[in-house]
Amino acid sequence: LCTQRKMNDIEFQFSEPDHGWMEVSVKNSDKNVCLAISDAPCDSISKLAQVLLSLQSGSEQEEVEYSLEPEYALWQFVVENEQMTLSVYPDSGRSNPILFTGNKDKILKRLYKSLRDLESMSCWSKPDALETIWSWEFPSRELNEFKANDKNA
């Protein structure tokens, strides 16, 4: 009997950023993809927060690119009915994506929670955070907007 594993057990994790680098991972009981991402030249964390809002608002396809210097990885979200597929392309080749599939609302809530966990790290409150931690402001406004749109977040 073959059954497709659902994304109900998906986890998103972000390490504490340091000198413009952090680890970003997505995993379930079958797969684990971990990327060491850079804050140059793009603000991928803010883009991810914007993608979260767009998907919550009904968008059916969104993507966020992560700089690996010099390569780029891509997370592509595609919604069909209440299901979502996250295709992770771990390098610029854009071939052989690693697929995670599950309930759209559950995936969005887990992504939201992981971004809140990242936001709660003390590094963001350091006076020189933009120079020594991450070159971009944390996207708190977008996360607050997501929460306001979904009272269960």
Side-chain angles (χ1 to χ4, degrees), residues 3 18 52 71-72 95 107 116 133 138 147:
T3 58
D18 186 33
L52 184 70
E71 294 272 324
Y72 283 89
S95 59
I107 294 168
R116 281 294 193 202
I133 303 301
F138 191 86
K147 184 176 182 180

Side-chain angles (χ1 to χ4, degrees), residues 77-112:
F77 299 84
V78 177
V79 177
E80 188 173 332
N81 300 316
E82 294 303 312
Q83 294 296 303
M84 181 183 295
T85 298
L86 168 58
S87 301
V88 177
Y89 297 88
D91 57 45
S92 297
R94 301 288 189 265
S95 59
N96 301 316
I98 300 148
L99 304 177
F100 298 87
T101 302
N103 177 274
K104 172 191 165 188
D105 292 335
K106 287 182 182 179
I107 294 168
L108 294 181
K109 286 178 184 172
R110 288 174 187 224
L111 182 54
Y112 166 79

